[in-house]
Amino acid sequence: MNVVFTFLDWFWVVMFLLLMIGSGILFYRLGKRSESDFFLAGRGLPWWLPASSVYATHTATDTPMWITGVSYKHGMAGIWYTFFSAWAAISAFVSTRIFRRSLAYTQAEWNVVRFTGIGAEMLRGWMAGWQVFMNMFILGWVGIAMGKVCEFLFGWEPWIGLITFSAVCAIYVLAAGYWGVVMADFQQGIIAFLIIMIVSIWGIVEAGGPSGIVEKLQNLDIQREARIETLAAMDANQLSSVSKQELAFFGADTTMTYQQIATLEATDFSMPRTEASRTNPFAFTGWATGDLPLAWCLTMIFIAILGGFGMGTTIDWYAEAQRIQSAKTVRDATYSIWWGTLVGLVRNSIWAVAILAFYVLNPWVFDVGEYEMGWFRLGFDYLPAGMLGFFFAAILAIHLSTISSHLNLGALYATRDLFHHYAKPDASEKELVWVGRISTLILLVGSFFFGLMMEDITSWLIFAIWIMAAGIWLPNILQVIWWRFNSWGYLSAWMANLAFSWLIVWILPHYGVLPELADYQQFWLLMIFGAFVYIPVTFLTKPEDMDHLVKYYVQARPVGFWGPVRKEAIRRGLINDPNAAATT
Amino acid sequence: MSWIRTEWTAEEADEWTKEDLITIILSPLAYLLLTVGVALACLFMWQGYVLTVIGGICTYYMHKIIDPKLRAISSEYEKKQQEYLADLEASTRWEN
């Protein structure tokens, strides 16, 4: 589709870009004061500012594509894909509190607060390097998603959308650092939420309202039966003009040849769900069968919610860690994570309903690339002239909020953990701010290369999430809740996870040693295999130095199995024993 | 709710207590109810309204239970923060 903008549409776009760049210039003086200001806004923000940043950062250009993809395919039950962000439910009250009290700038720095010696330094260096890479990678994949949106809308080459808008965003990140990011995120979060509501409600109304959607889904069930009858009546020659995606959608076994499918009766076509059940969030396809099994959903909820006891159990933690430290108190940090995530979850629910509207307006689209653009199409197909520019400005808001956060976050790891800690520990604040800016620029240029290399967003996304989450999910919790877990155990978990991820996800299935496993099955396998490495390594190496552990315990007050450290802290008189106080 | 504490000393607030436990049960429940509830409410389904209201009640009680404790933790911790920050900077600059 090629969208034609009127003067009013371009007016919205230009005004929005000026507003964003202007906010960067406005906070330039605050951002350049120190490393703490350039990366944490001086650690003094009220909860609603980092909360809006949490929401805005995790509303990226590829988010509506991804949510549209799963909601179009699975109906309302697709919202469980988005429920991984519920890790914040427990994290806000447990690991957020502990991390905020550690005061570490980054998760990499937290390693030297929690662990000690060469193991801790190796973890810090490894994690910092990994995060610089990951942020460049995320910038690339979000950037190319914008490139694809611009290609879809205006027919531009993908690189134009990628480079133009990431470069515009870099202006205010370079000028004001995290101050610019968080202030722009606040505005972008409001604009993005407003337009998501407007477009979604508009789409729902176009589809006949909520009751119209339900009625149309029921009618689709009747049309579906007719289509299956038609397919069953076709001979092999006629069937060859029907795509395999369409045959799969209507329940034919697509591992069969067209000749074999032509022998099927209508009753042999078995769709995993009725059209009417698309309104049911619990319409699973069986315990472990079909494309949306209950076992997968339970694994997702288990990983998400219990992951909140740990740090880094999802890829989003690393961005959230920066927001936690920028909050002015522990309480502000807690509420920023909790409320920012809730707004995201509610937004996903509204999106899912809007995609149902898109589904009834455009049923049975079989090409993933086409239906993933569904939410964008709701806006550009149905909003009136003059509003299109506002919609595109909101898409830019969605895009810029994510790009700015990851530019600043990647630069934080490069500056604080690599340059400041290893290269020049006595660097002045002015030098550190400049290194932050140079790192931002390097990340920006690197992201262009990543973006242009990335063809299939989804498979990379899933692999990146597994690398970051699966095999180290449990170690990420153990490092918080178990005093005996040491740096060598944690380091070995990372190394083992890298090796096992490649093996289980790519190499072994490629050579037929393992069958192709569902993602939730890979998760359990990676968790078990990893434990065979890091548990023995932990017990075969010494515990962390007790002085260091006591210092950490008194400052961060971690939850879980910290008995020996707590006793030592009480013995040294660093904390009081509430039980002793109760008996005297 | 007399069994829920609303007055905390700094030392007491630093401990993990039943108020934390109740909060981390109510919090995911609130997320779950509000996610599903809002989706169904947008389709004008009565179940959606019921779940959303229950989710809202969970959120209200969660805050009522944990907020006094969070305030106590925060006010106490802020007094020590400068000292801890100095320690952190010293370790970055390898002075100890």
Side-chain angles (χ1 to χ4, degrees):
Chain A
M1 80 186 283
N2 270 344
V3 174
V4 179
F5 273 18
T6 61
F7 172 78
L8 186 58
D9 294 317
W10 285 116
F11 173 80
W12 285 118
V13 175
V14 172
M15 288 306 289
F16 171 74
L17 289 176
L18 287 176
L19 180 70
M20 291 304 108
I21 297 167
S23 72
I25 294 163
L26 200 65
F27 289 93
Y28 165 74
R29 285 182 183 282
L30 289 179
K32 71 172 187 174
R33 287 189 306 194
S34 65
E35 184 183 34
S36 163
D37 277 289
F38 197 77
F39 291 116
L40 297 177
R43 297 180 186 266
L45 299 178
W47 70 270
W48 47 273
L49 269 173
S52 62
S53 186
V54 165
Y55 167 74
T57 297
H58 300 301
T59 310
T61 327
D62 65 332
T63 315
M65 291 185 201
W66 179 60
I67 293 177
T68 303
V70 294
S71 299
Y72 192 94
K73 187 175 178 188
H74 303 292
M76 200 70 94
I79 58 171
W80 298 114
Y81 274 92
T82 69
F83 204 68
F84 74 91
S85 52
W87 63 270
I90 288 179
S91 173
F93 302 100
V94 180
S95 55
T96 293
R97 186 191 302 178
I98 297 165
F99 185 75
R100 175 60 178 74
R101 293 177 63 131
S102 80
L103 297 174
Y105 271 68
T106 65
Q107 189 60 31
E109 186 166 60
W110 188 81
N111 287 300
V112 296
V113 178
R114 163 67 177 83
F115 305 116
T116 186
I118 188 73
E121 291 296 340
M122 286 171 72
L123 272 170
R124 183 176 191 170
W126 150 251
M127 195 174 282
W130 174 246
Q131 275 302 305
V132 172
F133 166 80
M134 271 309 288
N135 279 289
M136 206 181 277
F137 174 73
I138 292 167
L139 286 165
W141 107 46
V142 175
I144 199 65
M146 189 65 200
K148 287 181 178 183
V149 169
C150 291
E151 183 186 23
F152 174 73
L153 295 177
F154 308 117
W156 298 352
E157 290 290 318
W159 66 268
I160 299 175
L162 163 71
I163 291 176
T164 308
F165 297 111
S166 293
V168 166
C169 178
I171 296 171
Y172 68 82
V173 182
L174 284 164
Y178 185 74
W179 273 110
V181 172
V182 83
M183 292 303 171
D185 273 359
F186 179 64
Q187 302 164 55
Q188 288 158 355
I190 293 171
I191 294 169
F193 194 82
L194 263 178
I195 202 71
I196 288 167
M197 292 300 111
I198 292 170
V199 172
S200 299
I201 292 168
W202 210 286
I204 292 167
V205 171
E206 284 291 336
S211 51
I213 292 172
V214 173
E215 192 182 318
K216 285 189 171 100
L217 284 171
Q218 287 163 349
N219 289 338
L220 278 176
D221 270 321
I222 299 165
Q223 291 172 36
R224 186 189 66 167
E225 281 173 28
R227 180 64 180 156
I228 289 173
E229 292 285 348
T230 309
L231 289 171
M234 285 181 178
D235 60 28
N237 195 31
Q238 290 167 317
L239 273 175
S240 63
S241 63
V242 181
S243 72
K244 285 273 177 146
Q245 291 104 316
E246 181 174 353
L247 288 169
F249 177 84
F250 286 107
D253 179 357
T254 48
T255 58
M256 297 163 85
T257 63
Y258 281 116
Q259 280 78 10
Q260 289 169 319
I261 295 171
T263 64
L264 297 177
E265 299 292 325
T267 50
D268 296 325
F269 288 72
S270 57
M271 279 181 69
R273 62 178 66 79
T274 62
E275 298 289 7
S277 71
R278 284 177 177 274
T279 57
N280 179 3
F282 303 101
F284 299 107
T285 52
W287 167 250
T289 53
D291 58 4
L292 197 70
L294 180 59
W296 165 83
C297 182
L298 293 176
T299 303
M300 171 65 85
I301 292 176
F302 176 85
I303 298 170
I305 291 177
L306 292 186
F309 283 106
M311 294 177 189
T313 50
T314 79
I315 198 169
D316 290 351
W317 168 264
Y318 296 88
E320 256 59 304
Q322 189 185 19
R323 275 128 200 90
I324 290 166
Q325 292 301 2
S326 69
K328 71 178 172 187
T329 68
V330 173
R331 178 174 175 268
D332 287 280
T334 295
Y335 290 156
S336 71
I337 296 300
W338 201 87
W339 282 102
T341 304
L342 179 69
V343 177
L345 285 168
V346 168
R347 171 210 65 197
N348 295 343
S349 299
I350 295 164
W351 250 336
V353 179
I355 299 315
L356 272 186
F358 176 75
Y359 184 82
V360 299
L361 290 167
N362 303 272
W364 306 345
V365 177
F366 307 112
D367 178 47
V368 180
E370 194 183 335
Y371 69 66
E372 273 186 346
M373 302 303 285
W375 184 74
F376 291 111
R377 279 189 54 191
L378 276 183
F380 286 108
D381 286 353
Y382 299 108
L383 284 180
M387 280 295 283
L388 295 184
F390 185 65
F391 183 39
F392 186 66
I395 293 171
L396 287 179
I398 288 171
H399 179 64
L400 265 52
S401 60
T402 308
I403 293 290
S404 62
S405 291
H406 288 286
L407 278 174
N408 188 254
L409 182 62
L412 167 59
Y413 280 92
T415 306
R416 176 74 183 177
D417 294 301
L418 298 178
F419 179 80
H420 192 178
H421 187 59
Y422 293 117
K424 198 170 182 188
D426 58 350
S428 68
E429 295 295 341
K430 192 178 174 183
E431 278 178 293
L432 291 168
V433 170
W434 270 107
V435 171
R437 288 185 175 137
I438 293 164
S439 307
T440 305
L441 214 50
I442 293 170
L443 276 146
L444 177 73
V445 175
S447 75
F448 296 156
F449 289 102
F450 269 120
L452 294 172
M453 284 189 297
M454 226 172 285
E455 293 220 329
D456 188 341
I457 289 172
T458 310
S459 67
W460 274 102
L461 174 65
I462 289 169
F463 183 62
I465 287 172
W466 281 154
I467 283 268
M468 294 297 291
I472 52 158
W473 180 82
L474 191 54
N476 279 333
I477 296 174
L478 291 177
Q479 65 172 340
V480 175
I481 66 166
W482 186 29
W483 76 277
R484 182 61 180 81
F485 194 59
N486 62 15
S487 58
W488 299 111
Y490 192 42
L491 201 57
S492 66
W494 272 96
M495 298 305 159
N497 183 53
L498 273 178
F500 288 137
S501 301
W502 283 103
L503 277 173
I504 289 170
V505 179
W506 299 106
I507 298 172
L508 296 182
H510 179 76
Y511 289 104
V513 180
L514 266 183
E516 292 277 350
L517 296 170
D519 47 11
Y520 72 95
Q521 293 166 325
Q522 289 170 355
F523 171 82
W524 290 111
L525 214 54
L526 284 167
M527 197 168 91
I528 293 164
F529 278 25
F532 283 119
V533 175
Y534 63 77
I535 296 289
V537 168
T538 300
F539 282 113
L540 290 170
T541 50
K542 288 182 181 172
E544 299 297 336
D545 173 61
M546 187 52 87
D547 285 345
H548 188 84
L549 286 176
V550 167
K551 190 177 163 192
Y552 167 72
Y553 183 84
V554 172
Q555 182 180 346
R557 299 307 286 267
V559 71
F561 308 99
W562 286 82
V565 182
R566 181 181 166 82
K567 270 185 195 159
E568 183 60 22
I570 291 170
R571 193 188 67 77
R572 295 182 187 190
L574 296 171
I575 57 172
N576 289 330
D577 182 2
N579 296 329
T583 53
T584 54
Chain B
M1 294 207 300
S2 58
W3 52 284
I4 296 293
R5 290 186 67 163
T6 51
E7 301 288 330
W8 295 90
T9 66
E11 274 180 9
E12 289 164 347
D14 273 345
E15 300 293 327
W16 294 92
T17 62
K18 70 172 184 300
E19 284 75 11
D20 296 295
L21 183 66
I22 296 167
T23 301
I24 63 173
I25 292 168
L26 285 178
S27 169
L29 200 60
Y31 273 2
L32 200 75
L33 291 165
L34 291 171
T35 300
V36 177
V38 168
L40 294 179
C42 287
L43 285 169
F44 291 171
M45 292 183 174
W46 66 266
Q47 299 94 326
Y49 304 126
V50 173
L51 294 177
T52 305
V53 169
I54 299 172
I57 292 169
C58 283
T59 306
Y60 171 77
Y61 278 105
M62 183 189 80
H63 277 78
K64 197 172 162 62
I65 289 165
I66 203 66
D67 194 60
K69 191 174 182 188
L70 284 175
R71 283 178 191 276
I73 293 170
S74 295
S75 63
E76 174 62 17
Y77 186 77
E78 298 319 301
K79 291 176 197 162
K80 301 174 188 165
Q81 183 161 313
Q82 282 312 314
E83 183 192 329
Y84 287 141
L85 271 173
D87 267 5
L88 188 76
E89 291 305 321
S91 73
T92 295
R93 289 166 203 268
W94 301 352
E95 285 168 3
N96 54 357

